[in-house]
Amino acid sequence: MGKFSQKRGKESPAISTASLPDIIFMLLFFFMVVTVMRDSERKVDVTTPNATELTKLEKKSLVNYIYIGRPVEKFQAIAGTKPRIQLGDKFADIKDIPLFLEKHRVKVPESQRGLIKTSLRIDKDVTMGIVTDVKTSLRKAGQLAVNYSAKPRV
Amino acid sequence: MAKKSIKDRMSNEVNAGSMADIAFLLLIFFLVTTTIVEDKGVLVKLPPWSDEPPDIQQLKTRNVYSVLVNAQNQLLVRGEPADLETLRENAKEFIMNPSKRADMAEKPTKAIVSMKNDRGTKYETYLEVYNEIKGAYNELRNEAANKKFGRDYEFCSREQRKEIRNEIPLVISEAEPTNFGEE
């Protein structure tokens, strides 16, 4: 009891801020590591549908993305308003898909090529016609592991 | 004179007080540009492509669970109009056939889900149907895993999972869509 009253009299020392930069740097490095710079501009509008049976895609380097949706307003003058495919950062047609897959494939180490997955990010209002064409093209190219991108249902 | 000033500078330490500010600035930049994207979705294995027409396999109608989705996004399940809410329970009952009905699957290994849609079917509806079917299978596998090994399917070992997969295989066949309602 005596102990406590003794302490009260003392003035508490100022907290040292010398380690503040270190803490901030630590946070900085964390965010630098997790950051993925958006490598391509989104040219089509994609709102993925909701689903419950979801699988998480691991290993980003083994995934290639195909976007299907209506062109955003900026590009409607040149690309029209019908649903289009976006590969990488440009509009594409069905016939461009095999080359796109091959370009991604050569970047992957040979031992992991069997694990490549394609993530289809398709707008929910797109009709199945174009989706089926893309699926057929993927099957012909031998890319069979496909992930229909979706949001968890709340 | 010059000598002196250099000496002066040498003795001065670089002021590190603004280090935190610089770090903050960088931190905020990365905070803003970061998108911690979690890519999730329904994982599907497509059938390999073959140029030859597939052999027509004669399947008993009792083993086939056909789901048709038309361009108006309406469902026809085994010849009867149906809706998405009841699809999962309905499919589960069909696959397991607990009451041994003559018009449902003989056993889970023989059950086949056949999906067909129009080119004008909305992707959202298609995925919802696929999701329900997959959900039905996942629930059945979970139940089987709980009964056999006392834990959920995803926590089972590789061999246990394989055993359950063999018991309740997921077979979804997708027919070429019909040309209706494409815009």
Side-chain angles (χ1 to χ4, degrees):
Chain A
M1 283 103 265
K3 272 182 193 167
F4 293 113
S5 55
Q6 256 179 1
K7 258 189 183 169
R8 200 172 287 165
K10 274 186 191 166
E11 210 177 294
S12 61
I15 300 166
S16 162
T17 55
S19 56
L20 193 62
D22 301 338
I23 297 163
I24 303 301
F25 265 116
M26 220 158 69
L27 279 169
L28 175 64
F29 287 139
F30 169 72
F31 278 101
M32 277 176 77
V33 170
V34 296
T35 296
V36 187
M37 293 279 176
R38 183 166 288 169
D39 52 349
S40 56
E41 189 187 357
R42 195 69 50 79
K43 291 190 172 174
V44 294
D45 245 340
V46 172
T47 315
T48 50
N50 298 324
T52 53
E53 313 303 317
L54 297 173
T55 317
K56 209 172 148 188
L57 276 185
E58 318 275 349
K59 281 268 189 176
K60 272 227 160 100
S61 58
L62 294 176
V63 178
N64 48 46
Y65 298 90
I66 295 177
Y67 300 88
I68 306 174
R70 288 175 198 282
V72 293
E73 220 167 290
K74 210 164 47 161
F75 294 103
Q76 278 179 4
I78 48 164
T81 54
K82 282 195 176 173
R84 292 291 301 269
I85 303 165
Q86 183 187 344
L87 299 173
D89 54 358
K90 42 189 174 294
F91 290 111
D93 289 312
I94 303 285
K95 62 177 179 355
D96 302 323
I97 290 176
L99 185 67
F100 170 76
L101 292 175
E102 193 53 41
K103 273 184 182 162
H104 174 254
R105 178 179 274 271
V106 294
K107 279 189 219 153
V108 175
E110 217 160 335
S111 58
Q112 298 186 326
R113 286 192 185 162
L115 301 171
I116 295 178
K117 291 193 177 80
T118 297
S119 178
L120 291 176
R121 319 200 98 184
I122 306 173
D123 191 81
K124 58 184 178 186
D125 290 325
V126 165
T127 55
M128 281 309 288
I130 190 167
V131 180
T132 308
D133 293 341
V134 169
K135 266 163 64 185
T136 309
S137 165
L138 288 172
R139 284 171 60 195
K140 282 182 180 169
Q143 175 60 51
L144 302 178
V146 163
N147 186 60
Y148 295 118
S149 195
K151 287 194 287 279
R153 195 176 286 157
V154 279
Chain B
M1 291 272 252
K3 227 177 191 176
K4 200 186 168 197
S5 66
I6 286 170
K7 218 178 183 182
D8 262 0
R9 248 182 271 152
M10 295 268 276
S11 62
N12 274 350
E13 264 184 63
V14 178
N15 184 13
S18 54
M19 187 88 108
D21 301 340
I22 297 164
F24 257 124
L25 216 76
L26 281 167
L27 175 65
I28 288 160
F29 169 72
F30 278 101
L31 264 171
V32 170
T33 54
T34 299
T35 43
I36 305 181
V37 266
E38 264 198 302
D39 201 16
K40 286 183 171 175
V42 183
L43 198 63
V44 169
K45 191 120 179 109
L46 299 177
W49 179 264
S50 74
D51 286 318
E52 293 122 51
D55 329 328
I56 308 295
Q57 275 182 28
Q58 269 310 327
L59 296 165
K60 285 189 197 160
T61 28
R62 66 175 287 190
N63 286 329
V64 180
Y65 189 77
S66 69
V67 183
L68 278 74
V69 192
N70 71 0
Q72 279 76 47
N73 305 317
Q74 293 157 328
L75 263 70
L76 194 72
V77 177
R78 308 197 83 198
E80 305 269 337
D83 51 53
L84 274 167
E85 284 79 46
T86 53
L87 185 61
R88 192 181 291 217
E89 285 308 313
N90 203 334
K92 277 171 75 177
E93 196 192 341
F94 168 82
I95 297 157
M96 292 316 277
N97 197 3
S99 46
K100 301 273 173 265
R101 285 174 54 172
D103 59 344
M104 288 183 177
E106 287 170 71
K107 49 184 172 182
T109 42
K110 290 214 170 161
I112 285 176
V113 179
S114 155
M115 269 175 82
K116 192 168 177 167
N117 51 268
D118 287 336
R119 283 180 76 87
T121 306
K122 248 167 92 176
Y123 170 68
E124 189 182 17
T125 317
Y126 166 81
L127 196 68
E128 264 169 22
V129 171
Y130 207 106
N131 184 58
E132 292 307 305
I133 301 291
K134 210 175 168 196
Y137 271 100
N138 283 351
E139 279 178 24
L140 288 175
R141 284 177 178 176
N142 251 337
E143 282 165 23
N146 269 315
K147 216 162 136 194
K148 257 191 146 162
F149 307 115
R151 63 190 122 179
D152 275 358
Y153 178 69
E154 60 176 317
F155 297 117
C156 286
S157 69
R158 194 173 280 224
E159 289 78 38
Q160 289 173 336
R161 264 190 268 183
K162 202 173 174 191
E163 201 180 314
I164 288 167
R165 268 212 304 277
N166 287 338
E167 253 172 62
I168 310 173
L170 171 75
V171 188
I172 299 179
S173 118
E174 287 180 64
E176 282 294 307
T178 39
N179 293 317
F180 282 113
E182 166 107 274
E183 56 181 317

